Amino acid sequence: MAQNIYDDPAFFAGYSTLPRSIRGLDGAPEWPSLRAMLPSLAGRRVVDLGCGFGWFCRWAAAQGAAEVLGLDLSERMLERATADTAGATGHDRISYRRADLDTLTTTELPSERFDLAYSSLTVHYLSDLDRFLRTVRASLVPGGTLVVSVEHPIFSAPSRPGFTTDDRGRVVWPVDDYLDEGPRTTDWFAPGVVKRHRTIGTYVTGLVRAGFTLTALHEWGPSPEQIAEVPEWSVERDRPPFLLLSATR
């Protein structure tokens, strides 16, 4: 079973203060790049794997999706998603269910059910990438699309993640243990948050091994326009925080 850190009261309170928690997709700087990877959703069936507060589910319904299913392990997240979805555009086409993405079966994801599987910043919490990708692929119709974002492996690799200042006064992001995949435990809003570090090669090979065709790989960093609007994002040009992938069945 995946770690359910989002139901930890301290973690949930801290996470709720993030711009992406307050402003939704508009508060996620990588959203424009993710959105560009998505197919047209009009009349399509969509599953959001790790739906959180339901921001993407509501967006997909507003784009005309015929059916939207949001899955998440966190009861706190699902309660908030359900409350925020009441009365939203297309709310009657959105449903939420609790599920552990590490142990998904055809009960949660029926075979050839969805046109799009979407997952934002969730897969790096999962312990069994191959099982997850096989299950998701089976749930897509032929030609269906998977769009996923994860923490960039340069971000997740270090044994002690963080910017440091070297002896010449340069601010750098030191990378160690890149090829040593496995759990990384950090303190982020709460102590003992466990994520899984994987290389870019492992993500790509996992997709291919599961039977997907990779269609896009983007190492996200802020554009000059985004930096002009939010100058503190400039450090993300030194160390990309997100890896974005899209693939088709």
Side-chain angles (χ1 to χ4, degrees):
M1 182 174 182
Q3 183 188 38
N4 188 10
I5 193 66
Y6 285 82
D7 274 347
D8 178 279
F11 185 95
F12 186 82
Y15 184 84
S16 297
T17 66
L18 293 176
R20 67 180 64 237
S21 297
I22 297 170
R23 299 175 53 215
L25 300 178
D26 290 337
E30 76 280 11
W31 167 240
S33 297
L34 273 173
R35 184 177 58 204
M37 294 180 170
L38 296 170
S40 171
L41 298 188
R44 303 303 179 101
R45 294 173 296 181
V46 176
V47 60
D48 184 353
L49 301 156
C51 63
F53 292 153
W55 293 103
F56 180 78
C57 291
R58 291 187 290 276
W59 182 85
Q63 299 300 305
E67 172 190 328
V68 184
L69 171 63
L71 299 179
D72 206 285
L73 181 60
S74 167
E75 292 181 353
R76 289 178 183 267
M77 288 286 189
L78 293 172
E79 289 172 2
R80 168 76 177 272
T82 300
D84 289 353
T85 298
T89 300
H91 65 91
D92 55 329
R93 288 178 271 121
I94 302 172
S95 59
Y96 296 106
R97 296 177 195 164
R98 188 169 186 262
D100 183 352
L101 301 187
D102 253 334
T103 59
L104 284 175
T105 68
T106 54
T107 300
E108 292 94 358
L109 287 184
S111 298
E112 298 191 4
R113 175 69 178 179
F114 301 101
D115 301 286
L116 170 69
Y118 175 87
S119 185
S120 174
L121 301 180
T122 299
V123 174
H124 52 252
Y125 289 105
L126 305 184
S127 60
D128 194 340
L129 177 67
D130 286 340
R131 184 184 193 281
F132 171 77
L133 291 176
R134 288 195 307 268
T135 305
V136 172
R137 183 186 180 277
S139 77
L140 291 171
V141 300
T145 301
L146 169 66
V147 174
V148 61
S149 67
V150 295
E151 286 190 351
H152 195 288
I154 288 178
F155 186 95
S156 64
S159 55
R160 298 181 65 183
F163 284 101
T164 63
T165 302
D166 67 13
D167 53 9
R168 288 182 288 177
R170 297 182 308 165
V171 177
V172 297
W173 180 272
V175 174
D176 64 339
D177 296 338
Y178 181 83
L179 293 178
D180 294 330
E181 300 184 321
R184 298 289 195 272
T185 302
T186 59
D187 295 339
W188 182 52
F189 296 130
V193 178
V194 180
K195 300 176 184 178
R196 301 277 169 170
H197 165 67
R198 300 179 176 95
T199 66
I200 294 175
T202 291
Y203 281 116
V204 172
T205 300
L207 287 167
V208 174
R209 188 162 49 227
F212 283 100
T213 298
L214 183 70
T215 54
L217 183 156
H218 179 50
E219 298 176 276
W220 183 86
S223 67
E225 292 77 16
Q226 287 178 311
I227 292 173
E229 183 177 349
V230 186
E232 56 265 33
W233 286 352
S234 61
V235 297
E236 310 294 2
R237 300 290 300 179
D238 297 325
R239 181 269 294 127
F242 307 124
L243 177 66
L244 317 182
L245 301 154
S246 67
T248 57
R249 171 175 173 170

